[in-house]
Amino acid sequence: MTWQQWLSQAVSRLRASQSPSARSDAEILLAQQTGVARTRLLAFGETPLTDAQHATLEALLARRERGEPVAYLTGEREFWSLPLRVSADTLIPRPDTECLVQRALDLLSPGRAEVLDLGTGSGAIALALASERPEWRITGIDRLPGAVALARANAARLGLRNVQFHEGDWFKPLQAQRYRLIVSNPPYIKADDPHLMQGDVRFEPRSALVAGEDGLQDLAAICRGAGAHLEPGGWLVLEHGWCQGAAVRGLLADTGFGQIATLRDYGDNERVSQGQWSPAQA
């Protein structure tokens, strides 16, 4: 079977299984197994698959037909133009989270700064910031050992030396260190949200998605604890659900933050809220 023949067959099967990105999925799998860039697959479409390649591709295709995310099949997802390893221990980085990265970059001028990323997962946010601001010193925290190991591996693979990762639950691993900026994309989905049974989310770790009955449990904990670890005038920037903007602004106001604002994501949904720490207001 040639590359083109397998690609046509795979696209048909994925469309039949209701994949929302059938051609892209098939091309990503084929490109990874052949070592050829997606843009060049058609030019070499008459190349025959080896028996080993065909067997591996068929196994991966069957898993994708069952809905398993392509990022878990390939073990990689691009974020902020960085190729990141991902695993079942972590969320798959989403494009909308880049809005949080951009806001963090906009809030602080270039120059030395201590920055904290809570619930770092694969390290996507911390590594994006580290790649853009080599003068920043960034610390990522995650409670899952597998996530911390993966984030460290991503940093080493990318050659980023201004970032470190530690295991722990939110602020617990920290001593008296204070930061100019704290960022987080914490769990924020309600326990009974029907989206948990749909799409890629079905395969992602629930502990990285669900935050109590109202989805605000972890956002509230971060707002309560951030003041003890922010410099006066430091910033807290949080990703949250599209319908949680008002609630998160309330949490920030109730815990001593000023200059509160919410930014919209690529789909024009409220997605990222910020507050500036003001001890006098706490």
Side-chain angles (χ1 to χ4, degrees):
M1 178 177 285
T2 67
W3 293 1
Q4 184 58 50
Q5 288 171 333
W6 184 86
L7 192 61
S8 297
Q9 178 189 91
V11 171
S12 296
R13 285 172 58 180
L14 290 175
R15 284 175 176 163
S17 68
Q18 306 301 311
S19 170
S21 51
R23 175 159 292 278
S24 174
D25 295 348
E27 289 178 351
I28 289 171
L29 295 177
L30 182 60
Q32 185 198 48
Q33 292 302 311
T34 59
V36 174
R38 285 176 62 190
T39 54
R40 303 184 65 193
L41 287 176
L42 290 180
F44 296 91
E46 296 306 312
T47 305
L49 288 167
T50 67
D51 289 344
Q53 286 173 336
H54 187 257
T56 299
L57 283 167
E58 287 300 296
L60 292 172
L61 182 60
R63 290 167 63 188
R64 182 56 185 152
E65 285 181 294
R66 293 193 293 270
E68 192 169 344
V70 171
Y72 287 164
L73 301 181
T74 62
E76 187 171 292
R77 169 61 65 88
E78 183 177 290
F79 180 82
W80 201 261
S81 299
L82 301 175
L84 300 180
R85 296 292 187 193
V86 297
S87 75
D89 284 324
T90 66
L91 288 182
I92 299 167
R94 264 71 167 182
D96 283 334
T97 301
E98 294 184 351
C99 298
L100 183 153
V101 172
Q102 186 61 61
R103 189 55 186 162
L105 294 171
D106 291 342
L107 282 172
L108 297 187
S109 58
R112 187 177 177 84
E114 297 283 346
V115 176
L116 176 65
D117 175 27
L118 293 171
T120 194
S122 63
I125 295 171
L127 295 169
L129 295 175
S131 71
E132 293 287 342
R133 297 287 188 266
E135 65 275 25
W136 289 5
R137 294 200 307 181
I138 301 162
T139 299
I141 304 289
D142 201 285
R143 69 179 187 82
L144 294 178
V148 173
L150 184 63
R152 288 172 176 165
N154 276 327
R157 184 173 178 230
L158 295 169
L160 295 170
R161 301 181 182 276
N162 58 326
V163 60
Q164 59 182 335
F165 297 99
H166 301 290
E167 181 183 340
D169 189 14
W170 301 131
F171 300 99
K172 287 183 180 179
L174 305 176
Q175 301 300 319
Q177 177 68 53
R178 289 184 179 267
Y179 300 86
R180 288 183 60 194
L181 173 68
I182 297 175
V183 297
S184 184
N185 176 20
Y188 54 72
I189 298 178
K190 296 179 180 181
D192 62 352
D193 192 312
H195 293 95
L196 291 169
M197 304 304 296
Q198 301 172 15
D200 289 357
V201 174
R202 291 173 294 164
F203 295 85
E204 293 180 278
R206 287 293 178 98
S207 62
L209 293 165
V210 176
E213 293 184 4
D214 61 1
L216 296 170
Q217 178 177 303
D218 292 323
L219 287 160
I222 293 171
C223 288
R224 288 193 303 269
H229 297 283
L230 277 170
E231 298 175 1
W235 291 92
L236 175 62
V237 184
L238 299 167
E239 180 172 334
H240 50 72
W242 66 272
C243 61
Q244 294 174 324
V248 175
R249 290 192 294 274
L251 289 171
L252 289 166
D254 290 343
T255 49
F257 288 88
Q259 301 299 312
I260 297 167
T262 298
L263 293 84
R264 294 180 177 272
D265 62 20
Y266 298 132
D268 199 32
N269 298 305
E270 291 194 328
R271 183 66 59 185
V272 176
S273 290
Q274 66 181 46
Q276 188 172 36
W277 177 239
S278 178
Q281 294 183 217

